[in-house]
Amino acid sequence: MSLPPTQELISAEIADVRERYARHLTDGGDPRPHPERSYPPYRSSALRHPRQPLVAVDDPEMVELSGPAFGVTDVTELDHDLTRQHPGEPLGERITVTGRVLDREGRPVRGQLVEIWQANASGRYAHQRDQHPAPLDPNFTGVGRCLTDEQGGYRFTTVKPGAYPWRNHHNAWRPAHIHFSLFGSAFTQRLVTQMYFPGDPLFAYDPILQSVTDDDARRRLVADYDHSLSVPEWSLGYRWDIVLDGPAATWIEEGRR
């Protein structure tokens, strides 16, 4: 049985991809805001990305019938507050995350269903497949949702997630992040991405974040701390806008805009 790759090897591969991309730009190539589907430092991408042409769906309504349905009721007033979903207070640093969902022209996208899911403050998901030996929090499930307002705005109150190990390589750790899912007018218009926190020392070591080799595109995945959004004696504030398409689009998993 072969040993897992070391962080040094993964970091060398990350640097090699970045160097090749820098040469691509120097030679006059266009920026590539989305990563290649097969990114060698992210080992499982070799098995997960599609290798055959996409299949056209002749009847989109059939896809709708088998689409997911999140929640048993309509979006309620408290769905956006992940700290008030259980009888007790969750552990961790309480934060407010807000921003706007915009199109390529900077226009607000109204009525957009925005969902988030995340690990708890110890870096563990409330999911049976997560066997990371960190404590679960009985007062934190880690999922929330809201609808964007007339200005395209969304807002969540939650706790800052912790970093956690994963088995991409030896001593692999993921930076703290929150998963975002956005829906248009149908489930077939779902887009998924991740938001990161400024100044995280794990950025350079993470193949998933580093697979976005374009510096500007990668920076757009990192939220800004905004002190004006911090609530006195309650939460620290972060701002993160999501642009759905165009040259300033937020990176979307699966390379879609």
Side-chain angles (χ1 to χ4, degrees):
M1 180 176 174
S2 61
L3 296 175
T6 63
Q7 180 66 62
E8 289 75 17
L9 175 61
I10 294 296
S11 293
E13 292 178 353
I14 290 173
D16 178 65
V17 176
R18 287 178 59 82
E19 182 178 342
R20 286 190 278 114
Y21 179 66
R23 290 199 300 267
H24 165 80
L25 295 178
T26 300
D27 293 340
D30 294 329
R32 297 171 180 166
H34 291 286
E36 299 294 332
R37 290 187 181 274
S38 181
Y39 180 72
Y42 183 7
R43 287 295 191 261
S44 63
S45 67
L47 301 175
R48 296 172 62 184
H49 74 89
R51 298 177 181 274
Q52 302 297 326
L54 299 179
V55 176
V57 178
D58 294 328
D59 186 359
E61 292 186 0
M62 293 300 296
V63 178
E64 293 296 309
L65 294 176
S66 60
F70 294 88
V72 296
T73 65
D74 293 338
V75 177
T76 67
E77 184 180 353
L78 295 180
D79 283 356
H80 72 282
D81 191 340
L82 284 66
T83 70
R84 300 177 63 184
Q85 297 174 346
H86 300 277
E89 295 284 346
L91 299 174
E93 177 185 313
R94 190 182 287 106
I95 61 173
T96 296
V97 179
T98 186
R100 300 177 70 203
V101 180
L102 307 169
D103 67 13
R104 66 185 300 147
E105 304 297 334
R107 295 171 298 199
V109 181
R110 304 177 179 90
Q112 178 86 38
L113 176 61
V114 181
E115 298 179 315
I116 64 171
W117 66 96
Q118 63 170 92
N120 65 19
S122 298
R124 186 167 178 181
Y125 289 93
H127 193 285
Q128 62 183 359
R129 293 189 62 183
D130 188 347
Q131 297 301 309
H132 170 34
L136 289 169
D137 186 342
N139 293 309
F140 188 77
T141 307
V143 295
R145 58 183 183 162
C146 71
L147 296 174
T148 56
D149 61 22
E150 289 300 306
Q151 300 303 316
Y154 71 87
R155 186 182 186 90
F156 291 100
T157 300
T158 182
V159 297
K160 187 175 181 181
Y164 59 81
W166 62 309
R167 297 179 179 178
N168 185 74
H169 55 276
H170 179 67
N171 202 22
W173 288 82
R174 292 237 56 217
H177 60 279
I178 297 176
H179 298 268
F180 275 71
S181 167
L182 299 98
F183 286 92
S185 59
F187 282 124
T188 51
Q189 297 171 345
R190 188 187 187 198
L191 301 176
V192 178
T193 187
Q194 298 177 20
M195 184 204 86
Y196 296 85
F197 294 86
D200 195 312
L202 292 173
F203 283 166
Y205 304 102
D206 181 46
I208 295 180
L209 179 60
Q210 293 299 325
S211 69
V212 184
T213 51
D214 187 80
D215 291 340
D216 291 336
R218 192 169 58 256
R219 279 192 290 268
R220 291 196 291 270
L221 294 176
V222 182
D224 293 320
Y225 172 72
D226 188 335
H227 199 65
S228 68
L229 297 175
S230 296
V231 181
E233 302 183 29
W234 184 253
S235 67
L236 295 180
Y238 292 89
R239 183 181 301 279
W240 192 57
D241 291 339
I242 301 171
V243 181
L244 296 183
D245 60 0
T250 303
W251 171 73
I252 299 296
E253 293 179 15
E254 299 298 333
R256 294 174 295 169
R257 295 188 186 180

PDB file of all heavy atoms in Angstrom, residues 237-254:
ATOM      1  N   GLY A 237     -18.727  41.067  11.910  1.00  0.00           N
ATOM      2  CA  GLY A 237     -19.374  41.166  10.610  1.00  0.00           C
ATOM      3  C   GLY A 237     -18.458  40.915   9.438  1.00  0.00           C
ATOM      4  O   GLY A 237     -17.329  41.426   9.385  1.00  0.00           O
ATOM      5  N   TYR A 238     -18.945  40.151   8.468  1.00  0.00           N
ATOM      6  CA  TYR A 238     -18.221  39.875   7.226  1.00  0.00           C
ATOM      7  C   TYR A 238     -19.128  40.180   6.045  1.00  0.00           C
ATOM      8  O   TYR A 238     -20.331  39.896   6.078  1.00  0.00           O
ATOM      9  CB  TYR A 238     -17.777  38.415   7.164  1.00  0.00           C
ATOM     10  CG  TYR A 238     -16.713  38.067   8.177  1.00  0.00           C
ATOM     11  CD1 TYR A 238     -17.064  37.635   9.449  1.00  0.00           C
ATOM     12  CD2 TYR A 238     -15.359  38.189   7.869  1.00  0.00           C
ATOM     13  CE1 TYR A 238     -16.097  37.322  10.388  1.00  0.00           C
ATOM     14  CE2 TYR A 238     -14.384  37.880   8.804  1.00  0.00           C
ATOM     15  CZ  TYR A 238     -14.760  37.452  10.058  1.00  0.00           C
ATOM     16  OH  TYR A 238     -13.791  37.140  10.992  1.00  0.00           O
ATOM     17  N   ARG A 239     -18.527  40.753   5.004  1.00  0.00           N
ATOM     18  CA  ARG A 239     -19.275  41.069   3.783  1.00  0.00           C
ATOM     19  C   ARG A 239     -18.715  40.245   2.634  1.00  0.00           C
ATOM     20  O   ARG A 239     -17.498  40.191   2.423  1.00  0.00           O
ATOM     21  CB  ARG A 239     -19.174  42.557   3.460  1.00  0.00           C
ATOM     22  CG  ARG A 239     -19.999  42.967   2.234  1.00  0.00           C
ATOM     23  CD  ARG A 239     -19.869  44.447   1.927  1.00  0.00           C
ATOM     24  NE  ARG A 239     -20.308  45.275   3.031  1.00  0.00           N
ATOM     25  CZ  ARG A 239     -21.583  45.560   3.286  1.00  0.00           C
ATOM     26  NH1 ARG A 239     -22.531  45.071   2.503  1.00  0.00           N
ATOM     27  NH2 ARG A 239     -21.899  46.333   4.304  1.00  0.00           N
ATOM     28  N   TRP A 240     -19.633  39.621   1.873  1.00  0.00           N
ATOM     29  CA  TRP A 240     -19.217  38.825   0.724  1.00  0.00           C
ATOM     30  C   TRP A 240     -20.285  38.892  -0.352  1.00  0.00           C
ATOM     31  O   TRP A 240     -21.382  38.385  -0.185  1.00  0.00           O
ATOM     32  CB  TRP A 240     -18.978  37.372   1.135  1.00  0.00           C
ATOM     33  CG  TRP A 240     -18.285  36.555   0.087  1.00  0.00           C
ATOM     34  CD1 TRP A 240     -17.083  36.807  -0.493  1.00  0.00           C
ATOM     35  CD2 TRP A 240     -18.780  35.347  -0.500  1.00  0.00           C
ATOM     36  NE1 TRP A 240     -16.786  35.821  -1.414  1.00  0.00           N
ATOM     37  CE2 TRP A 240     -17.799  34.907  -1.429  1.00  0.00           C
ATOM     38  CE3 TRP A 240     -19.927  34.582  -0.316  1.00  0.00           C
ATOM     39  CZ2 TRP A 240     -17.948  33.753  -2.182  1.00  0.00           C
ATOM     40  CZ3 TRP A 240     -20.081  33.416  -1.069  1.00  0.00           C
ATOM     41  CH2 TRP A 240     -19.096  33.006  -1.989  1.00  0.00           C
ATOM     42  N   ASP A 241     -19.968  39.567  -1.455  1.00  0.00           N
ATOM     43  CA  ASP A 241     -20.888  39.656  -2.585  1.00  0.00           C
ATOM     44  C   ASP A 241     -20.658  38.480  -3.529  1.00  0.00           C
ATOM     45  O   ASP A 241     -19.534  37.988  -3.685  1.00  0.00           O
ATOM     46  CB  ASP A 241     -20.676  40.962  -3.349  1.00  0.00           C
ATOM     47  CG  ASP A 241     -21.104  42.183  -2.546  1.00  0.00           C
ATOM     48  OD1 ASP A 241     -21.900  42.017  -1.602  1.00  0.00           O
ATOM     49  OD2 ASP A 241     -20.625  43.289  -2.852  1.00  0.00           O
ATOM     50  N   ILE A 242     -21.725  38.052  -4.172  1.00  0.00           N
ATOM     51  CA  ILE A 242     -21.673  36.938  -5.119  1.00  0.00           C
ATOM     52  C   ILE A 242     -22.109  37.460  -6.482  1.00  0.00           C
ATOM     53  O   ILE A 242     -23.227  37.980  -6.631  1.00  0.00           O
ATOM     54  CB  ILE A 242     -22.596  35.793  -4.674  1.00  0.00           C
ATOM     55  CG1 ILE A 242     -22.192  35.299  -3.281  1.00  0.00           C
ATOM     56  CG2 ILE A 242     -22.560  34.650  -5.674  1.00  0.00           C
ATOM     57  CD1 ILE A 242     -23.180  34.319  -2.672  1.00  0.00           C
ATOM     58  N   VAL A 243     -21.233  37.359  -7.461  1.00  0.00           N
ATOM     59  CA  VAL A 243     -21.534  37.776  -8.831  1.00  0.00           C
ATOM     60  C   VAL A 243     -21.745  36.512  -9.655  1.00  0.00           C
ATOM     61  O   VAL A 243     -20.872  35.644  -9.717  1.00  0.00           O
ATOM     62  CB  VAL A 243     -20.396  38.633  -9.425  1.00  0.00           C
ATOM     63  CG1 VAL A 243     -20.751  39.070 -10.841  1.00  0.00           C
ATOM     64  CG2 VAL A 243     -20.133  39.842  -8.536  1.00  0.00           C
ATOM     65  N   LEU A 244     -22.900  36.401 -10.297  1.00  0.00           N
ATOM     66  CA  LEU A 244     -23.286  35.141 -10.914  1.00  0.00           C
ATOM     67  C   LEU A 244     -22.639  34.883 -12.263  1.00  0.00           C
ATOM     68  O   LEU A 244     -22.499  33.728 -12.663  1.00  0.00           O
ATOM     69  CB  LEU A 244     -24.817  35.077 -11.052  1.00  0.00           C
ATOM     70  CG  LEU A 244     -25.592  35.068  -9.729  1.00  0.00           C
ATOM     71  CD1 LEU A 244     -27.082  34.940 -10.002  1.00  0.00           C
ATOM     72  CD2 LEU A 244     -25.129  33.937  -8.821  1.00  0.00           C
ATOM     73  N   ASP A 245     -22.260  35.921 -13.002  1.00  0.00           N
ATOM     74  CA  ASP A 245     -21.636  35.674 -14.302  1.00  0.00           C
ATOM     75  C   ASP A 245     -20.796  36.878 -14.689  1.00  0.00           C
ATOM     76  O   ASP A 245     -20.682  37.850 -13.944  1.00  0.00           O
ATOM     77  CB  ASP A 245     -22.688  35.358 -15.378  1.00  0.00           C
ATOM     78  CG  ASP A 245     -23.681  36.507 -15.581  1.00  0.00           C
ATOM     79  OD1 ASP A 245     -23.553  37.538 -14.890  1.00  0.00           O
ATOM     80  OD2 ASP A 245     -24.581  36.357 -16.422  1.00  0.00           O
ATOM     81  N   GLY A 246     -20.178  36.793 -15.862  1.00  0.00           N
ATOM     82  CA  GLY A 246     -19.353  37.894 -16.334  1.00  0.00           C
ATOM     83  C   GLY A 246     -17.911  37.782 -15.879  1.00  0.00           C
ATOM     84  O   GLY A 246     -17.521  36.843 -15.191  1.00  0.00           O
ATOM     85  N   PRO A 247     -17.063  38.760 -16.258  1.00  0.00           N
ATOM     86  CA  PRO A 247     -15.628  38.689 -15.937  1.00  0.00           C
ATOM     87  C   PRO A 247     -15.318  38.742 -14.450  1.00  0.00           C
ATOM     88  O   PRO A 247     -14.239  38.323 -14.032  1.00  0.00           O
ATOM     89  CB  PRO A 247     -15.051  39.905 -16.675  1.00  0.00           C
ATOM     90  CG  PRO A 247     -16.213  40.833 -16.874  1.00  0.00           C
ATOM     91  CD  PRO A 247     -17.399  39.944 -17.064  1.00  0.00           C
ATOM     92  N   ALA A 248     -16.218  39.269 -13.625  1.00  0.00           N
ATOM     93  CA  ALA A 248     -15.985  39.340 -12.182  1.00  0.00           C
ATOM     94  C   ALA A 248     -16.789  38.288 -11.425  1.00  0.00           C
ATOM     95  O   ALA A 248     -17.038  38.428 -10.234  1.00  0.00           O
ATOM     96  CB  ALA A 248     -16.332  40.732 -11.657  1.00  0.00           C
ATOM     97  N   ALA A 249     -17.173  37.209 -12.121  1.00  0.00           N
ATOM     98  CA  ALA A 249     -18.027  36.198 -11.507  1.00  0.00           C
ATOM     99  C   ALA A 249     -17.318  35.503 -10.354  1.00  0.00           C
ATOM    100  O   ALA A 249     -16.106  35.299 -10.365  1.00  0.00           O
ATOM    101  CB  ALA A 249     -18.449  35.157 -12.548  1.00  0.00           C
ATOM    102  N   THR A 250     -18.097  35.132  -9.352  1.00  0.00           N
ATOM    103  CA  THR A 250     -17.609  34.309  -8.258  1.00  0.00           C
ATOM    104  C   THR A 250     -17.412  32.892  -8.772  1.00  0.00           C
ATOM    105  O   THR A 250     -18.244  32.366  -9.517  1.00  0.00           O
ATOM    106  CB  THR A 250     -18.641  34.300  -7.114  1.00  0.00           C
ATOM    107  OG1 THR A 250     -18.889  35.650  -6.716  1.00  0.00           O
ATOM    108  CG2 THR A 250     -18.140  33.497  -5.927  1.00  0.00           C
ATOM    109  N   TRP A 251     -16.284  32.269  -8.379  1.00  0.00           N
ATOM    110  CA  TRP A 251     -16.034  30.898  -8.799  1.00  0.00           C
ATOM    111  C   TRP A 251     -17.150  29.991  -8.331  1.00  0.00           C
ATOM    112  O   TRP A 251     -17.587  30.064  -7.197  1.00  0.00           O
ATOM    113  CB  TRP A 251     -14.707  30.397  -8.240  1.00  0.00           C
ATOM    114  CG  TRP A 251     -14.487  28.926  -8.449  1.00  0.00           C
ATOM    115  CD1 TRP A 251     -14.189  28.296  -9.620  1.00  0.00           C
ATOM    116  CD2 TRP A 251     -14.560  27.890  -7.453  1.00  0.00           C
ATOM    117  NE1 TRP A 251     -14.080  26.943  -9.415  1.00  0.00           N
ATOM    118  CE2 TRP A 251     -14.298  26.663  -8.093  1.00  0.00           C
ATOM    119  CE3 TRP A 251     -14.831  27.895  -6.079  1.00  0.00           C
ATOM    120  CZ2 TRP A 251     -14.282  25.452  -7.417  1.00  0.00           C
ATOM    121  CZ3 TRP A 251     -14.820  26.681  -5.398  1.00  0.00           C
ATOM    122  CH2 TRP A 251     -14.545  25.486  -6.063  1.00  0.00           C
ATOM    123  N   ILE A 252     -17.630  29.136  -9.238  1.00  0.00           N
ATOM    124  CA  ILE A 252     -18.710  28.213  -8.936  1.00  0.00           C
ATOM    125  C   ILE A 252     -18.193  26.796  -9.142  1.00  0.00           C
ATOM    126  O   ILE A 252     -17.517  26.515 -10.130  1.00  0.00           O
ATOM    127  CB  ILE A 252     -19.922  28.455  -9.861  1.00  0.00           C
ATOM    128  CG1 ILE A 252     -20.465  29.881  -9.661  1.00  0.00           C
ATOM    129  CG2 ILE A 252     -21.008  27.423  -9.618  1.00  0.00           C
ATOM    130  CD1 ILE A 252     -21.014  30.178  -8.282  1.00  0.00           C
ATOM    131  N   GLU A 253     -18.461  25.903  -8.211  1.00  0.00           N
ATOM    132  CA  GLU A 253     -18.035  24.519  -8.350  1.00  0.00           C
ATOM    133  C   GLU A 253     -18.581  23.930  -9.648  1.00  0.00           C
ATOM    134  O   GLU A 253     -19.649  24.284 -10.104  1.00  0.00           O
ATOM    135  CB  GLU A 253     -18.501  23.692  -7.150  1.00  0.00           C
ATOM    136  CG  GLU A 253     -17.808  24.101  -5.854  1.00  0.00           C
ATOM    137  CD  GLU A 253     -18.279  23.301  -4.663  1.00  0.00           C
ATOM    138  OE1 GLU A 253     -18.918  22.264  -4.849  1.00  0.00           O
ATOM    139  OE2 GLU A 253     -17.990  23.733  -3.526  1.00  0.00           O
ATOM    140  N   GLU A 254     -17.824  23.001 -10.227  1.00  0.00           N
ATOM    141  CA  GLU A 254     -18.115  22.362 -11.502  1.00  0.00           C
ATOM    142  C   GLU A 254     -17.832  23.293 -12.672  1.00  0.00           C
ATOM    143  O   GLU A 254     -18.159  22.984 -13.807  1.00  0.00           O
ATOM    144  CB  GLU A 254     -19.572  21.865 -11.587  1.00  0.00           C
ATOM    145  CG  GLU A 254     -19.916  20.835 -10.531  1.00  0.00           C
ATOM    146  CD  GLU A 254     -19.097  19.572 -10.654  1.00  0.00           C
ATOM    147  OE1 GLU A 254     -18.656  19.275 -11.777  1.00  0.00           O
ATOM    148  OE2 GLU A 254     -18.879  18.905  -9.649  1.00  0.00           O
TER     149      GLU A 254
END
